[in-house]
C-alpha cells in the first residue's frame, strides 16, 4: 500500500535542530493547489515537507479490506428510491472535453449507503454502456431511464479539473424537467426528483464486501538537495501571485504550487528554501573536508541570470553559482563529481570581480510579513525588476546580472562574496599588473601588507610606494587610463600618478578587493565571524 498521510497531520509545522550551528530545518504539512499549465487545471494536493524531500500527495480511493488489492475501477449497483432517486449529482461532459464526475453525494441516501462512491469519481459506464464519450445530457438521460436498479462503473480522479469545481447549484428554477441540463451545474434535480414507483430500501452493505475510503497517497517526491524554487513564470521577470515552482536536481517539477494567501505562499517558500540551503551547506562541508584550505567552497546555489544589453531579447535562465577557492563559477547545472568543476560555463578570478547589489530592498521578507499582519495582500506590482538582483562586474565592462527569490538569499550571497574575496586576498597577498606611463613599461603591484608599488618593468627598481590609507581618489577614462591620487605622508600634498592598463576594469576591481579585505581585517566583528565560520566549516 502506498504511504498515506493521516488527516490529523494536516496543516502542521515543526522544526528540528541539526547541529552545533543551531540552524533549524523545517518540517511541515498542509493543503495547497497544484496548477498544471498544460491542462489549465488546478486541484487539491497535500504537501509534506521533511529535511530532504518535498512530497506531493493526491487524494485517491483505496480498498481497505485486507483480502482485496487496490483497484482503479469500482462497479456499484444502485437501487433507485422514490424519494431522493439515486442520491447523487453529476457534473461535466464530453462536449467540454472533461469527464462526467460525481459532484455531490447526499447523506444517508442510496449512493451514500453503498460506501463505494465518492465525490470526484468519474462515471465510466452505466449499465454496461461506455459513457466516457457522452455529453452531459446523454449521461443524465441514461441515468434517468436506467430503471430502478442502476449499475455504474467509476474511477476516482486524482486530478479533478477546475472546470468541475464550480459552486454547486442548478442553472436556475424551472419546472420543465425536459430542459437540457448544463455540465457547469449539478444534475441532482434531473436525477433525484422524478421517482415514480417506490423501490425497496437498499440493503446494508455485507461484511464480506470490499470497503473503500479516500486517502492522501504519495504522487511525487522531490529531493531537495541542489533543488531550486522560482516564483517567476519560466524565462520571464513576471512574478506569480501566491505561487511558486519547485525543481529537483534532475529538472523534475511538481508543476505550480498555489496558495490562498501571500502569507501561506511565503511561509512555504521560506520553509522549502531553508531546507534546500541547509542541505547545500551540509554538502559543502563534506566536499571541503577533502579539499585543501586554498580550495574551499564558501557558498553555492541557484540564481536566475537576466540577459544584458543587446541580449535583452533572450529569456532569463537559471544558473548554478559557486564561490570556491580563487574563483567564481557559473554552471548550467550543479557540479556533482570532481570532474564537473571543470565544466563551468564561465570562471572568474575572485579578486578581479566586483559584487554589486542593484537595489537593497530592505528586508523584503520582513516587509511582506508586515503587510500580511496589516491584512494587505502582496501585489506583484510592488516588486520591480531591480528587486533581489545582484551583478558580477568583470573585466572590459562585462557583467552578469542574477536574481534570487528572497531577501535572505541576497544577504547570504553578499556576505559570502565578502568572505570569499577576503580569503582569496589573504591567500595571494599581492598581485602585479604590467602597465605603461609616458611610454615606459612599468609593473604595478598591489600588496596586502605594504600597499601600492610601481616599479620599472625590466630592473624592478621601485619608482614609488604608497600605503592603502594614502589613496585619496581616482578617475579613469573608462578604457585604459587611470589617475590615482595619493597623499604624501611628509608634505601632505596630493600627488597624481597616471597609468595605462590593457584591462583597466580588472585592475580597479583588484584594488577594490584588496582595500575591502584590508578594511575587513581591521574590523573585530568581521574577523571574529570569519574565525567562527572557518572553524565551523572544518568541523
Amino acid at each position: 500500500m502506498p504511504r498515506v498521510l493521516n488527516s490529523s497531520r494536516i496543516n502542521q509545522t515543526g522544526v528540528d535542530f541539526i547541529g552545533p550551528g543551531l540552524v533549524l530545518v523545517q518540517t511541515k504539512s498542509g493543503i495547497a493547489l497544484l496548477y498544471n499549465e498544460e491542462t489549465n487545471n488546478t486541484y487539491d494536493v497535500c504537501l509534506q515537507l521533511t529535511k530532504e524531500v518535498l512530497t506531493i500527495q493526491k487524494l485517491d480511493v483505496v480498498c481497505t479490506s485486507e483480502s482485496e488489492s487496490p483497484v482503479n475501477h469500482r462497479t456499484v449497483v444502485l437501487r433507485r428510491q422514490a424519494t431522493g432517486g439515486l442520491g447523487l449529482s453529476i457534473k461535466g461532459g464530453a462536449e467540454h472535453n472533461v469527464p462526467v464526475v460525481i459532484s455531490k453525494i447526499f447523506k444517508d441516501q442510496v449512493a451514500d449507503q453503498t460506501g463505494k462512491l465518492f465525490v470526484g469519481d468519474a462515471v465510466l459506464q452505466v449499465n454496461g454502456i461506455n459513457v466516457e464519450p457522452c455529453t452531459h445530457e446523454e449521461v443524465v438521460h441514461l441515468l434517468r431511464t436506467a430503471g430502478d436498479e442502476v449499475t455504474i462503473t467509476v474511477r476516482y480522479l486524482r486530478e479533478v479539473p477546475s472546470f468541475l469545481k464550480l459552486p454547486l447549484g442548478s442553472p436556475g428554477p424551472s419546472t420543465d424537467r425536459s430542459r437540457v441540463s448544463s455540465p457547469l451545474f449539478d444534475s441532482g434535480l434531473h436525477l433525484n426528483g422524478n421517482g415514480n414507483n417506490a423501490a425497496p430500501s437498499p440493503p446494508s452493505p455485507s461484511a464480506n464486501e470490499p470497503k473503500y475510503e479516500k486517502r492522501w497517497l504519495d504522487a511525487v517526491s522531490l529531493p531537495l538537495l541542489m533543488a531550486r524554487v522560482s516564483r517567476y513564470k519560466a524565462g520571464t521577470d513576471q512574478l506569480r501571485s501566491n505561487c511558486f515552482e519547485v525543481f529537483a536536481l534532475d529538472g523534475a517539477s511538481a508543476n505550480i504550487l498555489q496558495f490562498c494567501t501571500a502569507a501561506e505562499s511565503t511561509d512555504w517558500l521560506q520553509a522549502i528554501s531553508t531546507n534546500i540551503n541547509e542541505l547545500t551547506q551540509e554538502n559543502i562541508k563534506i566536499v571541503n573536508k577533502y579539499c585543501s584550505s586554498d580550495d574551499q567552497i564558501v557558498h553555492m546555489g541557484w540564481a536566475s541570470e537576466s540577459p544584458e544589453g543587446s541580449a535583452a531579447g533572450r529569456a532569463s535562465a537559471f544558473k548554478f553559482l559557486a564561490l570556491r577557492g580563487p574563483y567564481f563559477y557559473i554552471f548550467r547545472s550543479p557540479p556533482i563529481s570532481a570532474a564537473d568543476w571543470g565544466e563551468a560555463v564561465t570562471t572568474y578570478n575572485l579578486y578581479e570581480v566586483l559584487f554589486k547589489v542593484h537595489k537593497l530592498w530592505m528586508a523584503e521578507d520582513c516587509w511582506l510579513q508586515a503587510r500580511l499582519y496589516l491584512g494587505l495582500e502582496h501585489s506583484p506590482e510592488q516588486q520591480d525588476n531591480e528587486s533581489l538582483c545582484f551583478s558580477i562586474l568583470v573585466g572590459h565592462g562585462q557583467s552578469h546580472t542574477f536574481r534570487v527569490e528572497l531577501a535572505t538569499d541576497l544577504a547570504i550571497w553578499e556576505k559570502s562574496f565578502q568572505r570569499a574575496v577576503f580569503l582569496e586576498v589573504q591567500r595571494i597577498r599581492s598581485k602585479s599588473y604590467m602597465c605603461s606611463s609616458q611610454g615606459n613599461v612599468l609593473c604595478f603591484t598591489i600588496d596586502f601588507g605594504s600597499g601600492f608599488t610601481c616599479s620599472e618593468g625590466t630592473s624592478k627598481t621601485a619608482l614609488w610606494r604608497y600605503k592603502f590609507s594614502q589613496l585619496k581618489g581616482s578617475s579613469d577614462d573608462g578604457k585604459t587610463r587611470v589617475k590615482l591620487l595619493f597623499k604624501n605622508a611628509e608634505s601632505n600634498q596630493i600627488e597624481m600618478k597616471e597609468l595605462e592598463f590593457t584591462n583597466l576594469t580588472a585592475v580597479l576591481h583588484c584594488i577594490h578587493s584588496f582595500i575591502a579585505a584590508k578594511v575587513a581585517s581591521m574590523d573585530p566583528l568581521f574577523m571574529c565571524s570569519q574565525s567562527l565560520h572557518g572553524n565551523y566549516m572544518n568541523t
Side-chain angles (χ1 to χ4, degrees):
M1 179 74 69
R3 183 166 64 89
V4 302
L5 177 64
N6 189 291
S7 59
S8 64
R9 298 191 61 191
I10 302 298
N11 297 321
Q12 292 183 345
T13 60
V15 291
D16 295 324
F17 288 94
I18 63 165
L22 298 181
V23 181
L24 298 178
V25 169
Q26 297 285 323
T27 58
K28 188 177 178 66
S29 61
I31 303 298
L33 287 174
L34 203 62
Y35 173 64
N36 188 318
E37 285 187 303
E38 294 182 0
T39 62
N40 199 33
N41 289 328
T42 58
Y43 48 91
D44 290 336
V45 293
C46 182
L47 306 181
Q48 182 159 312
L49 176 66
T50 64
K51 174 184 175 180
E52 298 180 341
V53 176
L54 174 66
T55 302
I56 314 294
Q57 297 185 320
K58 299 177 182 179
L59 270 178
D60 206 342
V61 172
V62 298
C63 179
T64 60
S65 302
E66 294 183 0
S67 60
E68 294 286 335
S69 58
V71 293
N72 292 328
H73 296 178
R74 282 162 281 126
T75 298
V76 183
V77 177
L78 301 175
R79 294 182 179 179
R80 197 186 307 274
Q81 291 178 310
T83 303
L86 299 177
L88 56 81
S89 296
I90 61 171
K91 284 185 180 180
E95 68 269 43
H96 288 280
N97 296 317
V98 293
V100 170
V101 301
I102 296 176
S103 55
K104 187 173 183 179
I105 292 178
F106 297 91
K107 186 174 176 58
D108 295 330
Q109 295 190 24
V110 177
D112 182 44
Q113 292 174 353
T114 66
K116 298 180 181 180
L117 295 176
F118 300 87
V119 171
D121 278 339
V123 181
L124 307 179
Q125 293 182 2
V126 175
N127 285 348
I129 300 174
N130 179 21
V131 298
E132 292 181 270
C134 296
T135 66
H136 181 83
E137 179 61 23
E138 287 171 341
V139 177
V140 170
H141 178 74
L142 276 174
L143 289 171
R144 290 181 63 193
T145 59
D148 290 336
E149 189 170 277
V150 184
T151 301
I152 63 174
T153 300
V154 297
R155 174 176 58 86
Y156 186 75
L157 290 184
R158 302 178 81 185
E159 303 175 8
V160 179
S162 57
F163 181 81
L164 304 176
K165 298 174 71 173
L166 296 174
L168 299 180
S170 61
S174 174
T175 57
D176 182 5
R177 296 293 177 85
S178 64
R179 172 179 175 171
V180 175
S181 56
S182 168
L184 291 172
F185 296 87
D186 287 294
S187 292
L189 179 67
H190 302 272
L191 296 178
N192 303 317
N194 66 333
N196 296 318
N197 299 313
S201 298
S204 300
S206 170
N208 296 325
E209 290 185 2
K211 297 179 175 58
Y212 299 89
E213 66 179 37
K214 278 186 180 181
R215 291 184 181 177
W216 291 105
L217 303 182
D218 289 357
V220 179
S221 291
L222 295 175
L224 296 181
L225 180 61
M226 302 296 184
R228 60 182 172 89
V229 294
S230 176
R231 296 177 296 162
Y232 296 82
K233 291 188 176 181
T236 74
D237 291 327
Q238 187 174 352
L239 188 69
R240 300 182 187 275
S241 178
N242 304 340
C243 302
F244 60 85
E245 289 183 85
V246 183
F247 296 87
L249 174 61
D250 61 2
S253 169
N255 292 320
I256 300 162
L257 297 175
Q258 288 186 342
F259 299 88
C260 295
T261 66
E264 286 183 279
S265 179
T266 301
D267 192 35
W268 273 98
L269 179 66
Q270 290 178 331
I272 294 170
S273 296
T274 294
N275 290 10
I276 291 174
N277 289 335
E278 289 310 314
L279 289 172
T280 300
Q281 291 305 314
E282 289 185 5
N283 192 46
I284 288 174
K285 286 191 289 182
I286 292 172
V287 174
N288 284 346
K289 283 183 179 181
Y290 300 96
C291 297
S292 68
S293 59
D294 296 337
D295 197 30
Q296 298 283 292
I297 302 173
V298 174
H299 186 57
M300 59 185 182
W302 289 98
S304 178
E305 183 174 14
S306 303
E308 293 287 332
S310 60
R314 291 192 295 110
S316 59
F318 272 91
K319 299 293 176 62
F320 192 83
L321 315 179
L323 296 166
R324 181 178 186 180
Y327 306 113
F328 170 66
Y329 295 85
I330 302 177
F331 295 93
R332 287 191 177 89
S333 59
I336 305 301
S337 66
D340 291 342
W341 286 90
E343 301 298 321
V345 176
T346 311
T347 304
Y348 296 109
N349 291 320
L350 267 174
Y351 55 82
E352 290 182 344
V353 301
L354 183 65
F355 179 92
K356 177 185 176 183
V357 175
H358 277 211
K359 181 179 180 181
L360 186 57
W361 202 33
M362 181 177 175
E364 178 256 5
D365 305 334
C366 297
W367 172 86
L368 178 55
Q369 293 297 337
R371 286 184 55 80
L372 296 172
Y373 180 79
L374 296 174
L376 303 174
E377 289 294 324
H378 181 227
S379 171
E381 290 75 16
Q382 292 161 334
Q383 179 173 325
D384 57 44
N385 292 337
E386 292 286 306
S387 302
L388 308 181
C389 290
F390 65 87
S391 286
I392 304 300
L393 309 180
V394 296
H396 298 293
Q398 297 176 326
S399 66
H400 296 270
T401 299
F402 300 99
R403 182 187 64 227
V404 293
E405 297 296 324
L406 296 168
T408 48
D409 295 333
L410 185 62
I412 289 173
W413 275 111
E414 186 173 22
K415 291 178 182 178
S416 297
F417 255 94
Q418 292 173 356
R419 170 174 163 75
V421 170
F422 175 83
L423 293 175
E424 178 58 11
V425 170
Q426 291 283 300
R427 185 185 72 83
I428 64 174
R429 302 299 293 182
S430 68
K431 174 64 181 176
S432 297
Y433 294 92
M434 299 306 296
C435 62
S436 62
S437 178
Q438 298 178 346
N440 298 317
V441 177
L442 305 175
C443 179
F444 178 71
T445 301
I446 311 165
D447 186 270
F448 187 77
S450 59
F452 305 101
T453 301
C454 191
S455 308
E456 291 184 351
T458 53
S459 66
K460 305 299 182 183
T461 302
L463 301 178
W464 47 262
R465 286 192 179 91
Y466 295 98
K467 296 180 180 179
F468 288 114
S469 59
Q470 291 178 269
L471 180 62
K472 300 303 178 183
S474 68
S475 62
D476 62 84
D477 63 358
K479 297 178 181 178
T480 59
R481 296 178 181 273
V482 63
K483 295 179 181 179
L484 300 174
L485 304 178
F486 297 100
K487 184 176 182 180
N488 188 295
E490 297 179 358
S491 65
N492 289 329
Q493 298 297 311
I494 298 296
E495 299 175 350
M496 183 186 72
K497 303 297 180 181
E498 185 172 352
L499 303 172
E500 187 171 355
F501 298 88
T502 57
N503 189 350
L504 178 59
T505 305
V507 176
L508 295 178
H509 290 172
C510 186
I511 292 174
H512 178 276
S513 296
F514 271 73
I515 293 177
K518 193 71 175 179
V519 172
S521 69
M522 299 177 183
D523 183 349
L525 293 177
F526 179 83
M527 293 305 294
C528 179
S529 67
Q530 299 311 298
S531 176
L532 291 174
H533 187 76
N535 291 336
Y536 177 69
M537 290 289 285
N538 292 297
T539 55

